[in-house]
């Protein structure tokens, strides 16, 4: 066994490589203060490159987001792309960035690494929403794309998201190949903050932003009705980059201008009005938007997350209460609307497909079965939804919609990724149509429940920073409190999942970490297996399905639970009861020191 490298040696190696005076000073100060534990946390392990790219706090250290780790990631990615993508040097790379602290510098350093190897670089010099990067890869036939963003993470974080030549986020084995190439090329070959001034770099903004909106125009099928609509819409960008894009899509769809939530509509890396800049967090995140709506006499609020690839909607009811619709509810409404529009255009239902992630609602499957169209689920994340959409297109399908419950929606083929701006325009059009007919969004949703059945979800998370604790929780789920040897030799221990959750019997279990599905004769799951990520799904005899998994970008244990019943009240009651039993029985929050989600 190799001897552990002294922490002072790792610190000195950092100081040898780092050229940023601010992050150098951080490590020097920690060394001078003999802050060994903090040095260990920052330097002992490297930031991991995965299918989500990179995401971490912005500070000095090999395990953090900073100039050095961004350069190292860019060098590895550049060499991997040159080796695996045909004509990559000529086809080039597309780079975008959001408004977070250091995002502009990270984008410049990324561009510099590719330029140094003679790769053509297309870089949006101004702020863009994330979908502009995959759109750029598609439109320019680029070899890959990089977006510098941490999406809806807290202000201290930043990230590095990678798109492959097919304009989808990367999937295995590319993540492992890129990670290895990064590891093999840690010595910076360039440190270029002035890459945006390099005449070899091309800013595609003037060409691609209009081209993007021209494709989004294809989703507008009722411009005259939109123009005549008196519906008022309030909008929040959650201190992110979305407002210029949201204004443009509203104008192109013919609507009267959005009413902005003034405190949150301009880009601000401090995110001063929200603890978590994520509209998915609940009504608390939208409190200022609700206030703006009340003042304007509006009954509909739209929100994008800070990089504007997610979208959500809330509606004021006659009682004065605001309903914030879930990602599953919005996804179902989008899907039904997309199918209605498809049929209204006179096109055949043959080879029409819709997609969702495996932790999203089963209501979409019910809609597809009832309407006679193709449905599939994928692993979580739009990397899987987008890539599967491309595969289905090759089989002759028209994938008209895809979504994940985390308020991510893919409409048509503008990008094979989630897009909060095209979603905003499309949902505004649906809302205007409903309101013209005297129907509220909530009433439309209820009509879908009456047609396809009532589905109630209970989705949330616990925070856990200790990987050992997470592994212990999930291994107890799959192997029991006293693991037994596996006589088949297939697994480290014999699978021994709980037989009941509360009073409900477990019918089947699918474990995509272990690679085991009790419903299959051979025990092999149909979805891809990922040993590096925890994910177990339980199917109960009463029809309830719930999944527990770890997040790829945050220190969370997430769960997604759904029950279908004859009435909304019955579905909701069962969901709450099973959620309580699941948490206490499987996660044991107090015993494991898990932090509860903060209520908004």
């Amino acid at each position: 066994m190799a001897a552990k490298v002294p922490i002072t040696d790792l610190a000195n190696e950092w100081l040898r490589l780092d050229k940023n005076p601010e992050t150098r000073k951080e490590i020097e100060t920690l060394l001078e203060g003999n802050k060994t534990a903090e040095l260990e946390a920052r330097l002992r392990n490297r930031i991991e490159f995965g299918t989500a790219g990179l995401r971490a706090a912005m500070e000095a250290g090999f395990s953090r987001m900073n100039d050095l780790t961004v350069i190292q990631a860019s060098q590895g990615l550049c060499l991997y792309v040159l080796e695996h993508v045909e004509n990559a040097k000529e086809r080039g790379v597309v780079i975008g960035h959001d408004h977070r602290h250091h995002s502009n510098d990270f984008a410049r350093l990324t561009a510099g690494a590719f330029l140094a190897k003679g790769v053509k670089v297309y870089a949006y010099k101004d702020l863009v929403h994330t979908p502009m990067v995959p759109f750029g890869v598609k439109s320019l036939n680029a070899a890959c794309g990089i977006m510098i963003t941490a999406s809806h993470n807290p202000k201290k974080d930043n990230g590095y998201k990678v798109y492959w030549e097919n304009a989808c986020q990367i999937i295995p084995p590319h993540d492992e190949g890129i990670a290895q190439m990064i590891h093999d090329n840690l010595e910076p070959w360039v440190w270029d903050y002035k890459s945006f001034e390099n005449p070899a770099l091309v800013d595609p903004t003037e060409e691609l932003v209009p081209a993007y909106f021209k494709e989004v125009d294809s989703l507008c099928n009722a411009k005259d009705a939109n123009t005549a609509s008196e519906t008022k819409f309030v909008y929040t960008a959650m201190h992110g980059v979305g407002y210029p894009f949201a204004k443009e899509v509203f104008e192109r769809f013919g609507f009267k201008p959005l009413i902005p939530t003034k405190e949150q509509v301009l880009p601000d890396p401090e995110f001063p009005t929200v603890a978590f800049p994520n509209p998915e967090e609940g009504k608390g995140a939208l409190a200022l938007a609700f206030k703006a709506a009340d003042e304007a006499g509006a009954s509909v609020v739209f929100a994008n997350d800070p990089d504007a690839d997610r979208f959500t909607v809330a509606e004021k009811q006659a009682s004065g209460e605001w309903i914030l619709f879930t990602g599953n509810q919005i996804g179902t409404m989008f899907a039904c609307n997309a199918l209605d529009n498809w049929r209204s255009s006179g096109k055949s239902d043959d080879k029409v497909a819709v997609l969702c992630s495996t932790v999203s609602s089963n209501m979409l499957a019910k809609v597809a079965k009832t309407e006679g169209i193709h449905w599939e689920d994928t692993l979580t994340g739009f990397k899987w939804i987008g890539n599967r959409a491309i595969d289905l297109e090759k089989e002759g399908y028209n994938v008209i919609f895809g979504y994940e419950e985390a308020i991510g929606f893919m409409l048509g083929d503008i990008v094979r990724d989630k897009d909060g701006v095209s979603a905003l325009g499309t949902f505004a059009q649906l809302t205007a149509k409903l309101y013209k007919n005297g129907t509220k969004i909530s009433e439309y949703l209820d009509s879908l429940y009456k047609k396809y059945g009532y589905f109630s979800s209970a989705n949330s998370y616990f925070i856990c920073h200790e990987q050992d604790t997470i592994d212990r929780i999930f291994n107890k789920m799959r192997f029991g409190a006293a693991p037994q040897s596996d006589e088949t030799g297939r697994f480290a221990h014999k699978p021994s999942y709980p037989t009941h959750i509360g009073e409900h019997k477990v019918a089947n279990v699918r474990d995509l970490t272990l690679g085991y599905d009790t419903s299959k004769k051979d025990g092999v799951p149909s979805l891809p297996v990922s040993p590096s990520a925890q994910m177990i799904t339980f199917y109960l005899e009463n029809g309830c399905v719930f999944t527990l998994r770890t997040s790829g970008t945050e220190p969370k244990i997430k769960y997604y639970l759904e029950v279908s019943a004859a009435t909304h009240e019955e579905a909701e009651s069962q969901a709450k009861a099973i959620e309580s039993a699941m948490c206490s029985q499987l996660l044991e929050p107090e015993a494991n020191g898990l932090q509860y989600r903060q209520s908004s």
Side-chain angles (χ1 to χ4, degrees):
M1 187 181 208
K4 189 176 181 180
V5 177
I7 192 62
T8 51
D9 288 2
L10 292 175
N12 287 328
E13 176 66 1
W14 173 271
L15 294 172
R16 185 184 74 81
L17 294 173
D18 189 16
K19 293 183 180 181
N20 183 311
E22 292 182 8
T23 44
R24 284 180 61 86
K25 183 64 175 176
E26 287 181 41
I27 298 301
E28 288 169 346
T29 301
L30 292 172
L31 271 174
E32 291 167 5
N34 198 29
K35 304 293 185 181
T36 303
E38 183 66 15
L39 287 167
E40 285 283 349
R42 295 199 193 190
L43 297 169
R44 178 62 61 187
N45 299 308
R46 289 199 57 80
I47 186 172
E48 291 186 13
F49 187 95
T51 53
L54 305 174
R55 196 172 294 187
M58 292 178 281
E59 56 189 1
F62 295 123
S63 65
R64 306 295 199 254
M65 281 289 294
N66 48 65
D67 290 357
L68 178 60
T69 54
V70 166
I71 288 170
Q72 291 172 330
S74 300
Q75 291 179 169
L77 175 61
C78 178
L79 293 176
Y80 184 84
V81 168
L82 287 172
E83 186 176 303
H84 290 86
V85 178
E86 189 175 353
N87 299 322
K89 189 174 288 189
E90 295 75 24
R91 290 168 63 185
V93 58
V94 177
I95 300 170
H97 69 280
D98 69 6
H99 66 302
R100 285 177 180 261
H101 291 301
H102 306 298
S103 284
N104 185 276
D105 281 347
F106 292 164
R108 288 169 174 266
L109 293 169
T110 300
F114 279 84
L115 287 167
K117 291 298 179 183
V119 178
K120 189 171 187 64
V121 173
Y122 301 93
Y124 299 105
K125 293 182 180 180
D126 291 327
L127 306 179
V128 292
H129 75 316
T130 290
M132 285 307 305
V133 171
F135 182 79
V137 174
K138 180 187 81 166
S139 301
L140 298 168
N141 189 33
C144 76
I146 300 127
M147 180 66 187
I148 306 297
T149 181
S151 189
H152 54 270
N153 275 43
K155 69 178 183 179
K156 65 182 177 61
D157 292 350
N158 215 325
Y160 186 104
K161 182 181 286 189
V162 177
Y163 294 85
W164 198 237
E165 62 172 326
N166 64 354
C168 284
Q169 294 178 52
I170 57 169
I171 56 174
H174 295 309
D175 57 330
E176 294 177 3
I178 295 166
Q180 185 60 51
M181 197 68 85
I182 293 170
H183 183 270
D184 294 344
N185 294 275
L186 297 176
E187 192 79 28
W189 62 51
V190 67
W191 201 292
D192 187 3
Y193 292 116
K194 296 183 179 180
S195 64
F196 278 16
E197 286 73 57
N198 189 322
L201 181 144
V202 176
D203 183 348
T205 302
E206 289 189 7
E207 174 190 352
L208 291 188
V209 170
Y212 164 79
F213 280 111
K214 186 176 180 180
E215 291 201 25
V216 173
D217 285 346
S218 67
L219 299 172
C220 178
N221 58 16
K223 191 167 185 176
D224 289 344
N226 296 342
T227 301
S229 175
E230 294 298 326
T231 305
K232 294 179 179 179
F233 298 95
V234 164
Y235 173 77
T236 174
M238 209 60 65
H239 298 297
V241 303
Y243 188 41
F245 295 91
K247 282 198 300 183
E248 179 71 12
V249 77
F250 247 57
E251 182 178 325
R252 297 178 79 104
F253 272 52
F255 287 106
K256 294 176 177 61
L258 284 163
I259 301 168
T261 304
K262 293 178 181 178
E263 301 93 332
Q264 297 178 328
V265 81
L266 296 178
D268 188 337
E270 288 296 311
F271 303 102
T273 68
V274 285
F276 299 97
N278 183 0
E280 195 186 0
E281 285 291 334
K283 293 181 181 179
L286 297 177
L288 288 172
F290 293 158
K291 180 174 178 286
D294 289 339
E295 291 173 352
S299 58
V300 180
V301 164
F302 289 157
N304 288 133
D305 67 340
D307 66 327
D309 62 351
R310 287 179 168 86
F311 164 80
T312 197
V313 57
E315 183 185 50
K316 192 174 186 178
Q317 304 303 295
S319 64
E321 177 193 4
W322 282 94
I323 290 179
L324 177 60
F325 297 100
T326 69
N328 284 323
Q329 292 170 332
I330 299 168
T332 300
M333 289 188 279
F334 265 133
C336 292
N337 182 59
L339 183 58
D340 286 345
N341 290 339
W342 179 268
R343 288 172 170 170
S344 296
S345 69
K347 297 174 184 175
S348 169
D349 284 1
D350 191 36
K351 290 285 190 175
V352 168
V354 290
L355 300 171
C356 66
S357 66
T358 191
V359 298
S360 298
S361 175
N362 286 309
M363 190 169 179
L364 185 60
K366 182 69 177 294
V367 169
K369 183 177 180 181
T370 303
E371 300 296 338
I373 62 174
H374 184 73
W375 165 88
E376 287 186 23
D377 62 348
T378 72
L379 288 180
T380 53
F382 258 88
K383 53 184 172 283
W384 299 105
I385 295 172
N387 278 282
R388 184 56 186 150
I390 290 173
D391 290 343
L392 286 171
E393 285 175 345
K394 292 175 182 175
E395 297 173 24
Y397 283 95
N398 292 291
V399 181
I400 61 172
F401 179 67
Y403 92 98
E404 60 181 359
E405 55 74 42
I407 58 173
F409 310 103
M410 177 184 76
L411 295 123
D413 60 357
I414 301 164
V415 291
R416 285 312 189 190
D417 199 22
K418 56 185 177 287
D419 183 353
V421 172
S422 61
L424 184 148
T426 305
F427 206 92
Q429 185 169 254
L430 169 61
T431 303
K433 177 182 176 182
L434 293 173
Y435 274 44
K436 181 182 178 182
N437 295 327
T439 304
K440 296 187 75 68
I441 300 169
S442 57
E443 292 169 338
Y444 173 60
L445 177 63
D446 197 53
S447 73
L448 299 180
Y449 282 139
K450 289 175 181 175
K451 183 175 183 179
Y452 301 111
Y454 286 87
F455 291 75
S456 182
S457 299
N459 300 344
S460 193
Y461 60 81
F462 289 92
I463 296 173
C464 183
H465 294 275
E466 303 298 326
Q467 188 60 48
D468 289 346
T469 300
I470 292 172
D471 291 342
R472 183 175 67 251
I473 291 170
F474 278 90
N475 283 334
K476 184 177 179 181
M477 279 185 225
R478 62 172 59 96
F479 300 129
Q484 305 294 312
S485 61
D486 180 24
E487 296 177 356
T488 68
R490 182 178 171 188
F491 306 115
H493 303 287
K494 181 180 179 181
S496 181
Y497 302 97
T499 59
H500 289 76
I501 301 298
E503 63 183 23
H504 299 283
K505 188 174 181 180
V506 175
N508 297 300
V509 178
R510 182 185 65 194
D511 189 335
L512 293 178
T513 305
L514 195 63
Y516 186 54
D517 188 335
T518 63
S519 71
K520 306 290 185 182
K521 285 186 178 181
D522 59 2
V524 178
S526 55
L527 289 176
V529 173
S530 179
S532 63
Q534 298 284 5
M535 186 170 181
I536 304 177
T537 301
F538 290 81
Y539 301 83
L540 307 187
E541 281 199 343
N542 73 332
C544 173
V545 180
F546 66 84
T547 296
L548 300 108
R549 74 175 185 96
T550 48
S551 169
T553 57
E554 299 169 286
K556 294 177 179 179
I557 299 175
K558 296 185 173 184
Y559 63 83
Y560 313 81
L561 182 152
E562 185 175 63
V563 175
S564 177
T567 67
H568 174 72
E569 291 75 18
E570 183 183 351
E572 198 166 71
S573 174
Q574 286 190 40
K576 287 180 178 178
I578 297 171
E579 177 187 24
S580 177
M582 176 200 70
C583 289
S584 62
Q585 191 175 329
L586 300 183
L587 296 176
E588 302 175 276
E590 283 73 23
N592 288 309
L594 304 182
Q595 297 176 40
Y596 284 82
R597 175 180 182 173
Q598 295 179 11
S599 59
S600 54

